[in-house]
Amino acid sequence: MKITVSVIKADVGSVGGHNRPSEKLLASLHNHLKQNAQRLLKDFKVTFTGDDGCLLMSHTKGVDHPEIHKLAWEAFIEATKVAKEQGLYGAGQDLLKDAFSGNVRGMGPGSCEMEFEERPSEPLVLFACDKTDPGAFNYPIFRGFADPFHNAGLLLAPDMAVGFEFTIMDVNYTEGDRVIVLSTPENYYDMAVLLRDPEHYVVESVKARSTGDVAAVVSTSRLHNIAGKYTGKDDPVALVRTQKQFPSTGEILSPYATAHYVVGDNRGSHIVSLMPCKQNAIISFFDGPAIVTAMGFCIHNGIFTESVDLFDQPFWDMIRNKAAEKTMHIRDQGFFGAAMAPMEELEYTGVVERIKLLDKKFIIRK
Ligand code: 13P
Ligand code: 13P
Ligand code: MG
Ligand code: MG
């Protein structure tokens, strides 16, 4: 029997600024799924990362199923009512369309889903970011699946020696899904030239070439493309299968030790280091830093085990300090040059209006 795991997340309101959902809001999400679980779901979990509520659901309906997407959409609509009742900040922030049209993609919530035949043991990792965009996953996914410095299995495990197939999306193209499929090791440099530009090209999914099995899926929605203006950061999620024909859990975590620089943080417009945080970490310094959490679990007959908090381990304390230091190094120069997001990102913010006004005052000296 094929199982589908769907992850749908949205920011529909938070406590004390863009910080975290309230307990009541999370309870509302949980109750909505619980009421419908018997009809539609095998199992579910409700989590949050920063101000984004996240629904992890298992079922047998396949990806992009309208009933599953409707369930998630309605859960967020109900939770928005709670957010309004409580006066939470940014109530309904990520619900950018009024009428549900069959799929949450293009409506504000982020989603990633995969369908697979369960292995006898099926370990998975759910990564969730706050205060950054889907390109944040380019670096760790590329290195975790394609670089033997992190993925020793590429050298040591025969199943992985044949490499992986990556589907990469051009997220600036808004007329539909513009994608390219490239494989490692032979297209390694082609992938590098695309993925180095994470605001334009984003890994959407990865497959194991040894078996054709889906290995990873990433949410790719860019809120500014939907809204036409800055409405908050996309705050992506990714789901990765691990072990055997896939990288081990530790290999997939390994690239996060770089605490690489991403676009996001305050007003979604700065460059900071991505900090691997414990589950339920809050948002603080400069409306950030940009954070990523990692939840490990297994699924068996569609039922989730308890989860492990993969960044709650003393090793990551050192990385968190490094991330804070890297962030401070670039924050020291405020908004100058590389410290602020590239102009194409800022075009969705108020900076454009100001430049337009100033533009009129420019003179061309004779
Ligand atoms: P297996 O037991 O799946 O071979 O795991 C090996 C491993 O995880 C080493 O990191
Ligand atoms: P979120 O996208 O997480 O809501 O953050 C928005 C923001 O502007 C923070 O400064
Ligand atoms: Mg918010
Ligand atoms: Mg958020």
Side-chain angles (χ1 to χ4, degrees), residues 161-277:
V162 288
F164 291 88
E165 182 191 279
F166 296 72
T167 302
I168 295 166
M169 184 181 280
D170 172 356
V171 290
N172 285 354
Y173 186 79
T174 51
E175 307 300 308
D177 291 349
R178 186 165 184 263
V179 296
I180 185 170
V181 179
L182 295 170
S183 295
T184 52
E186 61 269 32
N187 302 132
Y188 187 88
Y189 294 157
D190 293 333
M191 280 182 52
V193 297
L194 295 179
L195 298 184
R196 63 151 293 283
D197 188 1
E199 269 51 66
H200 191 166
Y201 302 105
V202 169
V203 175
E204 181 197 49
S205 62
V206 185
K207 267 187 193 173
R209 292 175 79 186
S210 58
T211 57
D213 287 325
V214 60
V217 287
V218 183
S219 65
T220 53
S221 63
R222 298 297 328 262
L223 296 178
H224 66 219
N225 288 342
I226 303 168
K229 61 179 194 303
Y230 180 68
T231 59
K233 219 53 189 165
D234 319 297
D235 303 337
V237 280
L239 196 57
V240 183
R241 296 169 80 188
T242 62
Q243 305 296 142
K244 302 295 177 193
Q245 70 268 48
F246 307 120
S248 74
T249 301
E251 287 166 345
I252 281 300
L253 296 176
S254 174
Y256 291 90
T258 301
H260 60 295
Y261 286 112
V262 296
V263 171
D265 202 276
N266 187 30
R267 300 180 191 278
S269 305
H270 295 82
I271 308 291
V272 293
S273 161
L274 184 65
M275 184 183 278
C277 282

Side-chain angles (χ1 to χ4, degrees), residues 279-311:
Q279 221 89 54
N280 307 347
I282 63 150
I283 295 302
S284 174
F285 171 72
F286 205 51
D287 278 5
I291 62 170
V292 57
T293 58
M295 185 172 96
F297 53 94
C298 290
I299 185 169
H300 193 59
N301 298 325
I303 306 299
F304 299 123
T305 59
E306 68 215 76
S307 60
V308 281
D309 186 348
L310 292 166
F311 290 139

Side-chain angles (χ1 to χ4, degrees), residues 9-11 18-19 49-53 93-94 129-132 232-235 283:
K9 48 94 13 210
D11 173 359
H18 291 281
N19 206 310
T49 296
D51 58 7
D52 300 285
Q93 179 187 286
D94 285 355
C129 295
D130 190 36
K131 306 297 180 267
T132 187
K233 219 53 189 165
D234 319 297
D235 303 337
I283 295 302

